Amino acid sequence: ALDVSLSMKSEDIRPSRLEKAKRDVSELLRKLSGDRVGMIVFAGDAFVQFPLTADYAAADLFLSAIDVDAVPVPGTMIGSAIEVALKSFSKDVPTQKAIVVVSDGENTEGDVMGGVEDAKKAGVRIYSVGMGTTEGGPIPINNQNGDRIDYKRDQSGSIVLSKLDETMLQQIASMTGGTYHRA
């Protein structure tokens, strides 16, 4: 489950949280053998980017096309991503199932722990990977050509700093017997 919210554009990890996440997931795909993988993208809602497959080349191709505009609803709903991921598993196949959540952990909406509880009941472990730094960074706003024109600002005009929320990601993983890793 890959976070594609606007905060993932922050450059506190170079070149950006999202680009680093895509590289890390691509590297993970190259290390797999025989496992099926799927991709959920999420921001203010969650969608299946590609269903479970053993075709890692196709998965990597879909991964390379992901950007923050993959989900039109702003925000971050980690719980929704977990629920969509749970629905994508085959219930009749008795295999070990896991969800890897790659996010900065800044959950802005929805019930995260409800999704985590559902995963725990289903025997699905959640592993989380934190993208970003605890110091944080501003969120660039680019024009249609990709040139930076400003940074995201709050209502008072101050630049918004997006910070890694490790506590949230650690809780998500530990509740299901998974582990947390900082990218």
Side-chain angles (χ1 to χ4, degrees):
L2 179 60
D3 186 345
V4 294
S5 62
L6 193 57
S7 64
M8 291 293 284
K9 283 292 208 183
S10 180
E11 298 168 344
D12 54 346
I13 293 181
R14 298 284 179 191
S16 72
R17 293 174 184 176
L18 182 58
E19 290 306 313
K20 171 81 167 105
K22 288 167 51 173
R23 288 180 189 170
D24 289 355
V25 171
S26 182
E27 186 177 319
L28 175 64
L29 289 173
R30 284 192 291 278
K31 292 178 179 179
L32 294 176
S33 171
D35 294 307
R36 294 188 314 146
V37 296
M39 176 68 67
I40 308 299
V41 292
F42 68 96
D45 203 353
F47 300 96
V48 175
Q49 179 72 17
F50 57 86
L52 289 171
T53 182
D55 186 344
Y56 303 135
D60 203 35
L61 185 64
F62 278 105
L63 176 65
S64 67
I66 294 172
D67 202 357
V68 294
D69 58 3
V71 177
V73 182
T76 307
M77 291 184 67
I78 297 172
S80 179
I82 293 169
E83 293 292 348
V84 170
L86 288 171
K87 289 177 186 167
S88 69
F89 289 128
S90 300
K91 308 252 186 297
D92 56 339
V93 180
T95 59
Q96 192 173 25
K97 296 168 179 65
I99 298 171
V100 178
V101 174
V102 182
S103 174
D104 55 26
E106 287 188 322
N107 191 71
T108 59
E109 301 169 44
D111 177 20
V112 178
M113 293 309 157
V116 174
E117 275 299 319
D118 289 345
K120 185 177 178 179
K121 287 176 191 168
V124 176
R125 288 187 183 187
I126 300 176
Y127 298 88
S128 57
V129 179
M131 302 303 300
T133 63
T134 54
E135 298 80 29
I139 302 167
I141 304 295
N142 299 330
N143 65 17
Q144 292 175 338
N145 298 327
D147 300 321
R148 178 169 305 128
I149 55 174
D150 200 0
Y151 291 99
K152 185 175 180 180
R153 296 178 182 272
D154 62 19
Q155 291 178 343
S156 67
S158 299
I159 293 175
V160 173
L161 282 184
S162 172
K163 298 178 181 179
L164 171 63
D165 184 349
E166 287 187 300
T167 304
M168 171 66 73
L169 294 169
Q170 289 165 342
Q171 286 177 343
I172 290 169
S174 69
M175 283 180 63
T176 62
T179 55
Y180 166 77
H181 303 276
R182 186 188 286 186

